[in-house]
Amino acid sequence: MNRKTLVLPAVVGLLAPVLAACGSTDSGAGGEGAIVVGTTDQLVASEENPAPLDPAIGYEAGVWNVLRQTVQTLTSVPVGGGAPIPEAAQSCTFTDTANESYRCTLRPGLTFADGTPVTAEDVKYSIQRVIDINSDSGPVGLLANIDMIETKGDNQVIFHLNTPDATFPYKLATPAAGIVPKAKYPAKEARTGFQVDGSGPYTMKPQTEDGRITRIVFTKNPSYKGELKVLNEKVEMDLFPDAEAMGKALEEKKIHMMTRAMSPEQARDMLVNPKKGIELTEMPGLAISYLGFNTEDPVVNKAVRQAMAQIIDRGEIAGKVYGTTAEPLYSLIPSSITGHTNAFFNKYGDPSTAKAAETLEKAGVKTPVKFTLHYTNDHYGSATAKEFKALQQQLNRSGLFKVDVEGKEWSKYRPEQKRGDYAAYGMGWFPDFPDPDNYTAPFLDKNNFLNSPYRSKEAQDVLIPKSRREADRSAAATTYEKLQDIVATDVPVLPIWQGKQYVASRSGVAGVERSISATSELQLWELNKNA
């Protein structure tokens, strides 16, 4: 998602080590062979989700970090942001002034990693199967505006849209539109297991234990043809149970780099006490954290949600729990995205128990309001539990609430959240593309990501369609201001903080500052050992 939405010179300025430790390439992980990258993402096959890495099913940052390396898309967003450029395609363009028909021509000689030619029919098949499978937890919403997919010959594919959508090129750049081989991906059902096949820059081989991936070996795909320049021959991704274990592996030279998700304590310690041979790189972050609500549950009616918005002290949460790795957020749209406003601060001002009490009293709500605030304890990092303990303390200290907190594993948490089992719950959002549409439509539109019962006719029928008609994304800023005001008034979701990205790496590894995109996705092809 991005049409001139990032101030690129500022972004480039941030993509640099915030501390540089001297020293030459170390032995162990720093020696010859594959570059080894650590992550705390968990890739688990379960009864509820036996196909976590199928592009039609997987819709999480950790899953997309795997798909990005292996499955090619028609377009891609440049490393520093900007308008999408051709990737598997040789060219792509809207063929009408209404932004309702989008044509792509494939690169000549494009093949899957096994040598099978990639044709326009393969593109149509891959995207149509995501729509047909229509997974409850999948990314089908990104493709929901497609009315028909047409092919012309072996190399042209035309997408006819139901309504104008200037953000469509960004959606084609996501793994939801990844091109997969027919022989290995059934048309009407998901591909189970952990193997991924495509025409991307790498092939992959997973290592598993007890139904979860422990390591993935990415090997450079010699058949790859696209815009990306692959600067290494092999990268291994090691999956760790937590940030502490990942950090220990970095110190012991078992990995070259630690990515999602370093703990705030680790980042703070590396800033204050630099370690020889290790560099800490700060990157701009577009991930956000927020509270969601089952708006049909009377316990969290509109007045209660407004009172919570009035009480919660975002600055305290960001400062005490996350330190330098987060900053307060007063809108669904982060501060670095065009159209951002501080809608919640403009409406509620500084935290005030007195104002919250007045809101509840006018609505006839008896206090203290009792409910459980749910969160996932294994998906967004080790600081999540501390964050929700702090939220509980803030709400209960007001005397207006009596809130319990409960953490659950993501594999159970996400299905229960989507079913509407929770009155209030915590979630994070890693954008599909850096455009304000991806911070509003997934939460406010039909078939929204949260499966929320909340509906705003103005948002769904007027403002979201209007915003998508603007090819110049900055021209949609006024429309997004209105959408943010609606969210601040109705509070179907409550933004808490916006994150920064930190990556720690051993000296001698180059390309670290380009290895994670603005949308927090790994770009392993940027890494190399030739500093």
Side-chain angles (χ1 to χ4, degrees), residues 231-485:
L231 302 179
N232 55 67
E233 294 297 321
K234 183 180 290 186
V235 178
E236 295 178 2
M237 179 188 291
D238 281 1
L239 283 71
F240 293 90
D242 51 47
E244 182 179 357
M246 181 169 59
K248 183 179 180 182
L250 184 71
E251 291 184 11
E252 295 177 350
K253 305 179 183 179
K254 294 179 180 178
I255 63 175
H256 291 93
M257 180 171 132
M258 55 190 294
T259 58
R260 275 183 22 102
M262 289 181 61
S263 70
E265 292 80 10
Q266 286 173 324
R268 187 183 303 118
D269 182 58
M270 289 184 186
L271 283 167
V272 176
N273 303 301
K275 296 181 180 179
K276 184 178 180 180
I278 294 178
E279 298 174 354
L280 184 66
T281 302
E282 178 184 329
M283 306 178 187
L286 296 178
I288 67 171
S289 177
Y290 61 95
L291 299 182
F293 302 95
N294 178 355
T295 54
E296 287 185 344
D297 191 320
V299 174
V300 288
N301 62 32
K302 182 176 176 179
V304 170
R305 302 193 303 268
Q306 290 177 329
M308 292 175 67
Q310 183 69 76
I311 287 173
I312 290 174
D313 188 337
R314 296 165 175 81
E316 182 179 81
I317 299 293
K320 291 187 176 180
V321 178
Y322 292 97
T324 61
T325 65
E327 56 188 21
L329 181 64
Y330 296 92
S331 167
L332 277 176
I333 301 175
S335 58
S336 52
I337 296 290
T338 294
H340 163 83
T341 66
N342 289 315
F344 274 81
F345 187 84
N346 295 340
K347 182 170 182 63
Y348 299 101
D350 291 323
S352 171
T353 298
K355 291 181 180 178
E358 184 179 352
T359 297
L360 295 173
E361 185 178 0
K362 284 183 178 179
V365 176
K366 293 182 179 180
T367 58
V369 180
K370 300 178 182 179
F371 62 88
T372 298
L373 189 55
H374 295 265
Y375 68 95
T376 174
N377 54 21
D378 66 345
H379 197 64
Y380 297 121
S382 58
T384 308
K386 296 179 182 178
E387 175 185 351
F388 279 79
K389 187 67 175 177
L391 286 169
Q392 178 191 34
Q393 290 173 348
Q394 288 184 1
L395 292 169
N396 290 352
R397 162 169 90 214
S398 70
L400 302 175
F401 291 89
K402 189 174 182 180
V403 174
D404 294 323
V405 293
E406 182 180 352
K408 281 192 176 182
E409 293 181 0
W410 179 256
S411 59
K412 297 178 181 178
Y413 180 83
R414 176 61 168 154
E416 291 176 357
Q417 175 269 311
K418 289 203 71 175
R419 273 202 312 265
D421 293 356
Y422 307 149
Y425 52 88
M427 293 287 283
W429 181 250
F430 296 86
D432 307 316
F433 48 91
D435 184 275
D437 180 84
N438 198 231
Y439 289 95
T440 48
F443 307 101
L444 303 177
D445 211 352
K446 303 176 183 70
N447 302 316
N448 62 77
F449 167 73
L450 297 174
N451 198 32
S452 169
Y454 171 77
R455 296 291 181 269
S456 165
K457 188 173 179 62
E458 183 181 6
Q460 288 185 356
D461 298 344
V462 180
L463 297 177
I464 291 175
K466 181 181 179 181
S467 71
R468 289 174 172 171
R469 287 194 289 269
E470 297 288 356
D472 178 2
R473 302 306 291 148
S474 62
T478 301
T479 303
Y480 285 112
E481 288 176 12
K482 294 178 181 177
L483 282 167
Q484 290 167 92
D485 288 341

Side-chain angles (χ1 to χ4, degrees), residues 74 88-92 103-107 155-157:
L74 288 170
Q90 180 175 266
S91 63
C92 287
R103 181 193 301 262
C104 290
T105 301
L106 294 179
R107 291 178 184 268
N155 69 339
Q156 286 194 4
V157 57

Side-chain angles (χ1 to χ4, degrees), residues 66-200:
V66 176
L67 296 178
R68 280 291 184 198
Q69 322 309 317
T70 49
V71 176
Q72 202 171 12
T73 51
L74 288 170
T75 61
S76 65
V77 177
V79 174
I85 57 177
E87 166 53 1
Q90 180 175 266
S91 63
C92 287
T93 186
F94 281 106
T95 59
D96 65 332
T97 57
N99 296 332
E100 289 184 312
S101 181
Y102 195 70
R103 181 193 301 262
C104 290
T105 301
L106 294 179
R107 291 178 184 268
L110 199 67
T111 67
F112 291 110
D114 63 3
T116 306
V118 177
T119 68
E121 189 59 37
D122 290 308
V123 177
K124 177 180 178 179
Y125 176 88
S126 300
I127 295 176
Q128 188 63 52
R129 72 181 291 273
V130 178
I131 297 170
D132 291 343
I133 291 173
N134 193 26
S135 169
D136 286 343
S137 58
V140 65
L142 290 169
L143 309 174
N145 195 29
I146 296 175
D147 178 49
M148 182 180 70
I149 307 174
E150 177 186 2
T151 61
K152 288 191 175 181
D154 286 339
N155 69 339
Q156 286 194 4
V157 57
I158 304 101
F159 299 92
H160 300 282
L161 308 181
N162 291 308
T163 57
D165 187 1
T167 71
F168 189 68
Y170 298 94
K171 295 170 181 175
L172 286 184
T174 69
I179 307 166
V180 296
K182 290 183 183 179
K184 297 176 181 178
Y185 288 83
K188 304 292 185 180
E189 59 186 31
R191 179 185 183 179
T192 58
F194 292 113
Q195 187 58 45
V196 180
D197 292 280
S199 56

